[in-house]
Amino acid sequence: MLISDKEPEKKFPAKPKRVLMVNEQRSFQVMMKAILINLGISNITSANNAEEARRRCQKGTFDIYLIDYDLGVGENGRQLLESLKNQNLIPPQSVVIMVSGDSSRAMVLSALEAEPDEYLMKPFSQEQFAFRLKRALARRQALTPIFTALADSNWPALITVSAALAQTHPRFANYCRCIQAETYLKLEQAQDARDLMRQLLAGQENSWARLILGKACNSLGLHEEAVGHLQTTLKNTPLMVEAHRWLAESMLALGNTERAQQELKRAVDISPQSVLLARRLAEVCLIRHDYAQAKEVLLSLIELSRNSIHCTPHYLGAYIQALTLYSLNSNDSHQIPHLQKQVNAALSRLRDSLMMSEFNYPAFEQICQARVQIALGEPLKGKRMLYRANQHWLDDQANPSPALLGETALALYQLGEFEYADSLQSLLAANPDTLLTICIQTALDDRSAQEQRQRYEELNNLGTNAYQAGELEQALTHFREALRRVPANTVAALNKIQVLLLLMPNSQKSLQLRAECKATVEELDGIPLNPTQQERFHALRQEFDKLN
């Protein structure tokens, strides 16, 4: 977070400074080198794009990182900075200055969200640059213990040094106390954070402190009080998107999901480049079953995250979920036929990013296409695609990919393989992801899906009871109806095969039953089912072959 302070001393520290300048424009590089040399800084390394800058940072460190927001095709400056921080490639004592020629609010807020030490609008003078640089260097030097503890995620040390520096450096006292309070929240010591911020605010109003106080109250379950503090924050600082976000969280806790969605929408409108805000808005839209807005937000999220550390297949999976539920619930017959085209477009957006990682993109893409086929009314075709995409881990579920596991569970629920999907819940719990969890819950809560599952379970139970009572004809009727409701359900299909095998030898309709049994066996044949189902199918298949 940037801090406005009085101008520090004019003199640079004696130690020569190493600068990494990341900019694709040759003219800007020449101008900045001249400015830096005039300021006594001659050790300058240039990089034309994010990838080159990352390679430079992997080979050595710098004292000053001068990053342009617009780096052309690929990662932008904000995404590069996030990546470098994520890989711990920027030393705690180093200064980051981001520059941009775009003065739009969205661009500025996007840049500030990455928390550079300074942000400069082009064009700027040598005097402006010198002032900002000296201020940032002085601040970094004074607060190095804080930045070191932050880099090491050493929360107890961060509390200690923040409290100490608040006393020894009055200019940065409010910043230090806010950092201390934020750290209390990380350690789930919300009452300590609340007490500290109330003490700070007793002396003067401070929007950051008021925001933290609202967050602390929310953590303590004091949601009404949190709402009051967060509304005050927004009255004083209307563009503070974090206040909108936490006001939304308070509204969610109070059960006002509509207001929560409105606040998050305002936050995204203010800062449309924020991946984290867009993600939370998508989650709340799904919770509220607002699939129309959810799919729009998720589509933008796919684009926003494509070249960043936030890139994940979960966004694409959630987008397919929102598209599917929107299509099925919109009463618009034109929506389903467009599903394939929309999914293909989204897959192409993420393909390059995901293919470059260790993620099994081909399997993921096949699962996504399976979900499309199911939505298009081809459940058996979708089932084959789904099970074949997953056969590499069906027999060994020790370390499944969370993304593949989540997409498989969603597809299974969509397919009507309720028993199998439920069995994966323990594996999903071991790899929690909020968005994935919400997507699965929407699949469970969807009214049409609930009605389908309830009727299927009733019919399957009726068939099981009739089978156990020896009423085979009645059992067959129930299993047939269950499969009519969910044509791709393996449990119902296996139950039907078992009943048919018992009826075939003594029935006057033996030929018809044999043909029905053969067709059902062929539907399952070649599909790599889960181990329990595969064992049962193998035994039934052998029995069927003996009768032929």
Side-chain angles (χ1 to χ4, degrees):
M1 185 168 292
L2 301 182
I3 303 295
S4 295
D5 298 299
K6 296 179 182 178
E7 184 175 357
E9 295 181 9
K10 294 286 185 180
K11 188 177 180 180
F12 280 101
K15 181 183 175 182
K17 295 297 177 185
R18 296 162 298 170
V19 176
L20 174 64
M21 180 167 49
V22 189
N23 190 286
E24 67 163 351
Q25 295 180 337
R26 178 64 179 168
S27 58
F28 181 82
Q29 291 182 20
V30 171
M31 181 200 74
M32 277 310 307
K33 283 184 178 180
I35 289 177
L36 290 167
I37 290 171
N38 287 338
L39 294 176
I41 301 173
S42 58
N43 190 343
I44 305 166
T45 301
S46 298
N48 296 317
N49 53 55
E51 190 56 42
E52 184 181 353
R54 191 176 293 104
R55 288 197 300 269
R56 301 280 191 187
C57 293
Q58 288 167 345
K59 292 179 180 179
T61 60
F62 302 87
D63 302 298
I64 301 166
Y65 295 78
L66 183 61
I67 303 174
D68 200 303
Y69 190 99
D70 186 4
L71 298 177
V73 178
E75 292 174 75
N76 60 37
R78 177 249 179 91
Q79 292 167 335
L80 170 62
L81 179 52
E82 287 178 329
S83 173
L84 295 177
K85 287 183 175 181
N86 185 60
Q87 297 177 57
N88 295 318
L89 293 176
I90 298 181
Q93 68 275 13
S94 297
V95 163
V96 176
I97 298 178
M98 188 166 288
V99 299
S100 174
D102 188 341
S103 61
S104 67
R105 184 177 66 189
M107 180 67 73
V108 173
L109 289 173
S110 176
L112 294 182
E113 191 178 26
E115 297 187 343
D117 294 278
E118 288 288 350
Y119 179 76
L120 274 170
M121 290 299 308
K122 293 188 282 187
F124 49 81
S125 67
Q126 179 173 309
E127 290 73 21
Q128 288 175 309
F129 178 78
F131 171 74
R132 296 290 191 89
L133 178 58
K134 290 172 184 176
R135 183 171 69 177
L137 287 169
R139 177 171 170 268
R140 277 280 163 176
Q141 185 176 16
L143 302 179
T144 292
I146 285 180
F147 297 120
T148 300
L150 275 169
D152 295 337
S153 299
N154 189 340
W155 310 130
L158 185 54
I159 289 176
T160 302
V161 298
S162 297
L165 290 172
Q167 299 298 321
T168 58
H169 289 72
R171 291 171 55 204
F172 303 113
N174 286 350
Y175 175 83
C176 293
R177 291 191 181 101
C178 286
I179 287 291
Q180 184 180 349
E182 291 275 24
T183 309
Y184 279 139
L185 291 178
K186 283 187 175 71
L187 295 174
E188 299 183 356
Q189 297 172 218
Q191 187 59 55
D192 291 328
R194 181 173 181 247
D195 292 342
L196 183 59
M197 292 298 92
R198 291 178 72 179
Q199 179 184 349
L200 190 157
L201 289 164
Q204 61 178 317
E205 184 59 39
N206 180 292
S207 292
W208 187 15
R210 184 71 66 181
L211 167 64
I212 297 171
L213 180 55
K215 291 162 65 175
C217 290
N218 197 53
S219 297
L220 291 167
L222 305 173
H223 304 302
E224 294 286 0
E225 183 180 339
V227 168
H229 290 305
L230 294 164
Q231 287 178 333
T232 299
T233 304
L234 288 170
K235 182 179 179 181
N236 296 331
T237 316
L239 298 182
M240 185 175 274
V241 292
E242 274 291 286
H244 283 291
R245 177 195 163 197
W246 282 98
L247 181 55
E249 297 300 333
S250 297
M251 290 298 174
L252 278 175
L254 291 169
N256 192 342
T257 58
E258 182 179 2
R259 177 70 185 281
Q261 183 174 337
Q262 290 171 353
E263 290 299 329
L264 286 167
K265 182 66 169 60
R266 290 190 185 102
V268 170
D269 288 342
I270 294 169
S271 184
Q273 302 295 316
S274 173
V275 171
L276 297 180
L277 286 174
R279 176 189 173 114
R280 191 58 178 145
L281 175 58
E283 290 172 350
V284 173
C285 288
L286 288 169
I287 289 171
R288 298 195 67 243
H289 300 173
D290 185 350
Y291 305 128
Q293 185 166 8
K295 66 185 180 70
E296 297 303 325
V297 176
L298 286 162
L299 184 59
S300 69
L301 194 52
I302 289 170
E303 187 63 31
L304 283 175
S305 65
R306 183 170 55 173
N307 296 311
S308 77
I309 61 172
H310 304 290
C311 184
T312 170
H314 289 314
Y315 297 151
L316 182 54
Y319 175 63
I320 294 173
Q321 177 76 350
L323 272 177
T324 302
L325 291 174
Y326 176 74
S327 299
L328 295 174
N329 290 278
S330 66
N331 297 319
D332 184 350
S333 60
H334 297 290
Q335 290 299 324
I336 291 291
H338 291 305
L339 190 61
Q340 182 78 70
K341 182 178 179 180
Q342 291 172 303
V343 170
N344 286 345
L347 282 165
S348 67
R349 282 190 170 100
L350 279 182
R351 183 174 287 111
D352 291 342
S353 300
L354 293 176
M355 286 287 282
M356 292 174 64
S357 67
E358 296 180 359
F359 178 67
N360 189 342
Y361 181 83
F364 176 79
E365 184 171 23
Q366 192 170 1
I367 295 171
C368 291
Q369 295 293 1
R371 293 182 64 189
V372 172
Q373 292 304 314
I374 297 165
L376 291 174
E378 297 286 349
L380 295 176
K381 181 179 179 181
K383 181 176 182 177
R384 288 183 178 275
M385 292 175 66
L386 173 67
Y387 280 57
R388 285 172 181 166
N390 285 285
Q391 60 186 333
H392 65 286
W393 65 267
L394 277 170
D395 295 328
D396 179 15
Q397 299 181 359
N399 295 297
S401 160
L404 294 181
L405 181 62
E407 291 309 302
T408 298
L410 285 168
L412 288 171
Y413 281 122
Q414 186 182 342
L415 195 59
E417 289 276 43
F418 308 115
E419 299 88 352
Y420 192 6
D422 289 343
S423 73
L424 297 181
Q425 288 299 320
S426 61
L427 294 175
L428 286 167
N431 296 285
D433 177 271
T434 307
L435 183 58
L436 176 58
T437 301
I438 290 173
C439 283
I440 290 174
Q441 196 58 50
T442 61
L444 296 173
D445 292 344
D446 183 65
R447 186 174 61 184
S448 60
Q450 285 183 333
E451 292 174 353
Q452 181 192 44
R453 179 168 187 170
Q454 181 179 3
R455 187 57 182 146
Y456 156 75
E457 289 178 344
E458 289 174 356
L459 290 165
N460 198 52
N461 288 336
L462 287 171
T464 300
N465 292 336
Y467 173 81
Q468 292 173 346
E471 300 172 355
L472 299 182
E473 292 284 356
Q474 190 64 40
L476 180 60
T477 299
H478 291 312
F479 291 139
R480 281 170 172 166
E481 182 61 18
L483 280 171
R484 190 183 71 80
R485 302 273 179 166
V486 281
N489 185 276
T490 301
V491 171
L494 292 173
N495 288 343
K496 189 177 85 164
I497 292 170
Q498 189 163 339
V499 173
L500 286 169
L501 289 172
L502 292 172
L503 287 171
M504 280 164 47
N506 303 314
S507 174
Q508 294 180 350
K509 300 179 180 179
S510 178
L511 291 177
Q512 291 174 301
L513 296 178
R514 189 182 302 276
E516 183 178 356
C517 188
K518 180 181 179 182
T520 309
V521 167
E522 289 176 347
E523 287 175 358
L524 297 178
D525 197 24
I527 296 179
L529 306 174
N530 71 56
T532 302
Q533 292 176 340
Q534 190 65 48
E535 183 179 354
R536 186 181 175 197
F537 175 66
H538 181 68
L540 292 173
R541 176 64 189 264
Q542 286 185 321
E543 188 174 344
F544 174 74
D545 291 340
K546 289 178 183 177
L547 292 176
N548 285 294

